[in-house]
Amino acid sequence: MCIATIVQTASQSVGMFIGARFLIGFGLTFAANAAPMLVTELSYPSYRAPLTSTYNSLWYSGAIIAAWTTFGTFKINSTWAWRVPSALQGLPSVIQIFLIWFCPESPRWLVSKGKDAQALKTLAYYHADGNEEDPLVRYEYDEIKAALDFDRTVVANVGWKSLVTSPGNRKRMRIILALAFFSQWSGNGLVSYYLNKVFDGIGITDATDQLLINGILQIWNLGWALFASFMVDRIGRRILFLSSAIGMTIFYTLQTALAGHFQNSGNSDSAHGVIAFIFLYYAAYDLAFTPLIVSYTLEILPYHLRAKGFNVFNFAISLSLIFNQYVNPIALDAIKWKYYVVYCCWLVVETIFLYFFVVETKNRTLEETAALFDGDEAIDTIAGHHADVNEKGSVNEQSLDK
């Protein structure tokens, strides 16, 4: 990503610029796949869901920097109008290069490679101030070993084929693929990538106004996404997903109605109403589809399938973005605001799907959550492990929430 940033900043042609963007995407794929899994698997149990949700919500911190940098540079009468934003995007990668050496390996990865002592040491360091005999540390360590042994010896849950061979895994993949497409096909793709076309359609054509609204919108999004991140274990995943989908449906429908009214009447109040409902729509979107799509995907996958399932999730997002890139602008140019109606109907479909298929996972460990999809045998295995640990006096329920 650092090399690609240098190439993009120094680009002398469109081809060179596009090639640099390709390299950035290639490098980003590795970081985007590894980082949330490490956060999920290393976090203290009671902080895992909020921290992983916060990870994805902080996407908006980058969006804020990008939005306000372009707002500040777009009037520069030289190529530095785009070279400055291009150069700044390399800063996080530079920081990552220096800090990655201080990051530990996942304890689950260490156990899976037979490095049990190192795994126990890592758990103790991050969850109990280095005390390897802490009840919570022993509980987590034993639970990880039990879950990995179950996956490895009982269900052979280790290959790509296993993503679809069992009912539990098919249920997982149905949810994961749906969330991937929903995250990009909820109407957000129009505002995220074609905000200028949306604003042109309601008579806001000044570049300064468009960039200013975009910058404020990113700050608004970050606030709502962080709020939802800290509510995931208090409110629960199902309520957040359903509230998000219902809110998006209502606000997007009202946005569509006002956009149509503006096209027919030219009333500036309708245009202002569209802007207001874009902000309200994104508040609803950020309740679930910013913080939860990554954390929920990772927590419902067992360890041996977590990386594979997350790769499928990211691949599905890439496919959905192809649609957004090549269909949305053509449809907007062809039928204007009427294209919004398609997403209004699709949001209803999303709401119905989420109601019937999303499983509540709040206040569970990773191993307990994964076992929800694998039937009674997996649940009994984890429950039996809990009973064994409790008989030894190693841990109780309060330890997980301390």
Side-chain angles (χ1 to χ4, degrees), residues 193-194 318-330:
Y193 299 101
Y194 302 102
S318 297
L319 291 178
S320 66
L321 289 175
I322 293 173
F323 176 91
N324 285 355
Q325 184 173 352
Y326 291 103
V327 175
N328 282 345
I330 297 172

Side-chain angles (χ1 to χ4, degrees), residues 88-360:
L88 280 178
Q89 71 181 339
L91 182 59
S93 297
V94 173
I95 296 173
Q96 183 178 346
I97 287 174
F98 286 102
L99 296 183
I100 191 64
W101 309 105
F102 299 98
C103 291
E105 285 288 359
S106 161
R108 288 165 179 81
W109 181 84
L110 292 170
V111 170
S112 73
K113 299 301 180 182
K115 301 179 179 180
D116 292 17
Q118 191 176 344
L120 184 60
K121 184 178 179 180
T122 300
L123 285 170
Y125 180 83
Y126 287 95
H127 294 182
D129 295 326
N131 181 9
E132 295 184 10
E133 298 303 319
D134 182 85
L136 175 60
V137 170
R138 301 303 307 190
Y139 176 93
E140 291 182 286
Y141 173 75
D142 292 339
E143 185 180 53
I144 290 169
K145 285 185 66 67
L148 292 183
D149 288 342
F150 177 80
D151 280 347
R152 189 163 43 230
T153 61
V154 179
V155 296
N157 226 0
V158 294
W160 284 96
K161 184 179 178 181
S162 61
L163 288 171
V164 293
T165 52
S166 72
N169 288 341
R170 288 193 293 272
K171 185 176 181 181
R172 288 184 176 99
M173 295 313 301
R174 178 174 61 203
I175 295 172
I176 289 169
L177 289 173
L179 291 182
F181 283 101
F182 290 173
S183 70
Q184 304 302 321
W185 285 1
S186 295
N188 56 307
L190 294 178
V191 176
S192 296
Y193 299 101
Y194 302 102
L195 186 62
N196 63 320
K197 289 182 177 291
V198 173
F199 284 158
D200 289 344
I202 55 175
I204 299 175
T205 57
D206 183 76
T208 301
D209 292 338
Q210 292 184 353
L211 289 171
L212 181 62
I213 294 171
N214 181 48
I216 296 171
L217 180 61
Q218 304 314 318
I219 297 173
W220 168 267
N221 285 338
L222 179 62
W224 279 101
L226 290 176
F227 166 76
S229 296
F230 290 102
M231 292 292 109
V232 291
D233 277 336
R234 296 184 183 183
I235 298 177
R237 281 64 157 168
R238 273 184 61 83
I239 293 178
L240 285 174
F241 271 120
L242 291 173
S243 299
S244 178
I246 292 169
M248 286 192 295
T249 303
I250 294 171
F251 296 136
Y252 209 83
T253 301
L254 293 172
Q255 175 189 327
T256 301
L258 287 174
H261 185 264
F262 176 84
Q263 290 291 322
N264 294 326
S265 68
N267 189 321
S268 61
D269 290 338
S270 297
H272 297 155
V274 170
I275 296 173
F277 282 118
I278 286 175
F279 275 76
L280 290 173
Y281 161 83
Y282 264 102
Y285 179 91
D286 292 329
L287 286 179
F289 285 92
T290 298
L292 281 180
I293 56 170
V294 168
S295 60
Y296 190 79
T297 295
L298 293 174
E299 70 185 7
I300 67 175
L301 289 164
Y303 172 78
H304 282 106
L305 293 181
R306 192 163 291 137
K308 296 180 178 66
F310 193 53
N311 275 325
V312 171
F313 169 81
N314 285 322
F315 181 72
I317 286 182
S318 297
L319 291 178
S320 66
L321 289 175
I322 293 173
F323 176 91
N324 285 355
Q325 184 173 352
Y326 291 103
V327 175
N328 282 345
I330 297 172
L332 271 178
D333 288 338
I335 58 177
K336 309 298 181 184
W337 67 271
K338 296 182 182 69
Y339 184 50
Y340 299 164
V341 176
V342 174
Y343 284 110
C344 292
C345 297
W346 180 249
L347 283 166
V348 173
V349 174
E350 289 186 13
T351 304
I352 295 171
F353 179 94
L354 294 170
Y355 178 81
F356 284 105
F357 294 111
V358 169
V359 177
E360 184 55 71

Side-chain angles (χ1 to χ4, degrees), residues 364-396:
R364 293 177 180 270
T365 66
L366 282 176
E367 283 66 36
E368 289 171 332
T369 298
L372 283 175
F373 292 81
D374 293 320
D376 294 337
E377 184 179 6
I379 295 174
D380 290 344
T381 298
I382 300 298
H385 158 70
H386 288 178
D388 291 342
V389 173
N390 282 330
E391 281 177 11
K392 299 172 186 176
S394 297
V395 75
N396 54 42

